[in-house]
Amino acid sequence: MGGHIDFYTDLNSIYGYFGFTHVLKHIEALRSHGVEVDFHPIYLPDLQQRSGNRVIWTVKARQHWLEKYELPRSKRDFGVRDANPPDGDLNNLFEVGQTQLPLRALLAVKKLHPQQVYNSVWNWLYHCFWMPPQQRIKDEAPLREALIAMALNFSGSVQSTESRQFSSDEVDNIMSLAKERETKDELRKNTDEALRQGGFGAPWMMVRNSAGVVEPFFGSDRFAQMYEFLGLPYSPLELLPPPSPVKPNL
């Protein structure tokens, strides 16, 4: 066994949130099989525009299906039942989804802190963006406040008010590095790389198995296919019989 997952996503993608939640939940199990994971921020609106992809909820019938059926089911399945776009309107994402600054802050965290902290910040910023009360972390002041408020080793549960992940000086360093040209260029390069690989949305994953073969996977509902490709043991979806026989209706 063994392999590698390059996971490309944006904070403004709820399906990226779903996929991230699944991978983070299983990251230790993946490591136990020799599979490492790297999370890469990309700017999704740029990727969609340059790949020719259309935002799915701009199709009226699809927006109705998403809001009434698909998203409530997926939020239940991934354990984030309260996740919602700001003000409950997907169309608000065109404005609040301009996430370049928090994505660059993530790149700064990656350079300044260990991987475990970097992964926790991803989890925290996803939480801030999608979970009540949704914070407009696209802007500098709310983003700074969110980073200062982050609980130590945030894992998705209700956070303690006692220990914080970052000091005020550490947040200053993160924000300063996030504004540098090098960090801005790195975000662009990540998005360019996802596009070069054929990416068009989030989450976009490039997966290398133990034989060195690399294949792309897209979306938050392809993990069984990914585990099969990686040669990992997993529980496939199957229908179970009832606990007791059901009498036929005559």
Side-chain angles (χ1 to χ4, degrees), residues 7 12 22 27 48 53 55 74 82 119 123 140 157 194 200 202:
F7 190 107
N12 60 25
H22 176 90
I27 201 163
Q48 289 177 315
N53 191 13
V55 179
S74 294
D82 294 330
N119 292 350
N123 198 14
E140 182 173 350
S157 58
F200 50 85

Side-chain angles (χ1 to χ4, degrees), residues 17-28:
Y17 188 19
F18 296 156
F20 172 85
T21 299
H22 176 90
V23 171
L24 192 66
K25 178 181 177 181
H26 295 90
I27 201 163
E28 292 304 324

Side-chain angles (χ1 to χ4, degrees), residues 30 80 103 122 150 182 186 192 196 204 212-213 228:
L30 287 163
V80 288
L103 295 174
W122 263 111
M150 180 181 169
E182 180 182 354
E186 187 174 356
D192 290 345
R196 185 191 67 80
W204 179 259
V213 178
E228 187 73 26

Side-chain angles (χ1 to χ4, degrees), residues 27-239:
I27 201 163
E28 292 304 324
L30 287 163
R31 285 177 181 152
S32 72
H33 290 290
V35 178
E36 294 296 327
V37 181
D38 280 332
F39 296 107
H40 304 286
I42 58 171
Y43 187 46
L44 182 58
D46 183 32
L47 179 65
Q48 289 177 315
Q49 191 275 326
R50 290 198 283 155
S51 66
N53 191 13
R54 184 175 180 182
V55 179
I56 58 177
W57 65 85
T58 59
V59 179
K60 185 175 181 180
R62 197 163 186 178
Q63 180 175 354
H64 173 76
W65 170 78
L66 277 168
E67 293 178 334
K68 187 172 178 62
Y69 301 109
E70 163 64 8
L71 290 179
R73 294 166 181 164
S74 294
K75 290 188 288 186
R76 174 200 64 204
D77 292 347
F78 287 97
V80 288
R81 289 178 180 268
D82 294 330
N84 274 304
D87 302 321
D89 186 351
L90 285 170
N91 290 302
N92 286 337
L93 292 177
F94 289 113
E95 191 267 323
V96 299
Q98 298 173 30
T99 51
Q100 296 99 319
L101 182 58
L103 295 174
R104 298 199 304 263
L106 280 161
L107 289 170
V109 172
K110 190 174 187 178
K111 291 179 181 178
L112 297 171
H113 296 274
Q115 184 179 25
Q116 181 180 354
V117 174
Y118 172 65
N119 292 350
S120 293
V121 176
W122 263 111
N123 198 14
W124 172 238
L125 292 184
Y126 261 129
H127 180 93
C128 291
F129 190 94
W130 288 101
M131 301 294 278
Q134 293 90 343
Q135 301 173 47
R136 294 185 175 244
I137 56 172
K138 76 178 187 68
D139 297 322
E140 182 173 350
L143 175 60
R144 182 185 294 272
E145 291 173 5
L147 290 171
I148 289 174
M150 180 181 169
L152 183 67
N153 300 321
F154 176 76
S155 61
S157 58
V158 176
Q159 57 177 344
S160 166
T161 58
E162 298 177 358
S163 299
R164 297 301 183 197
Q165 184 68 61
F166 301 117
S167 68
S168 179
D169 286 345
E170 287 175 322
V171 171
D172 287 343
N173 291 336
I174 290 168
M175 296 301 295
S176 177
L177 184 54
K179 296 175 185 177
E180 291 187 4
R181 171 53 58 186
E182 180 182 354
T183 310
K184 295 178 180 180
D185 290 343
E186 187 174 356
L187 178 59
R188 176 74 179 196
K189 288 176 183 177
N190 281 356
T191 308
D192 290 345
E193 180 62 15
L195 182 67
R196 185 191 67 80
Q197 295 164 352
F200 50 85
W204 179 259
M205 293 157 282
M206 295 300 295
V207 183
R208 185 184 72 245
N209 64 17
S210 58
V213 178
V214 178
E215 289 190 5
F217 292 82
F218 169 70
S220 57
D221 56 352
R222 300 291 188 268
F223 291 109
Q225 297 172 5
M226 180 189 297
Y227 297 151
E228 187 73 26
F229 174 72
L230 287 165
L232 304 181
Y234 66 97
S235 297
L237 180 67
E238 61 177 319
L239 181 65

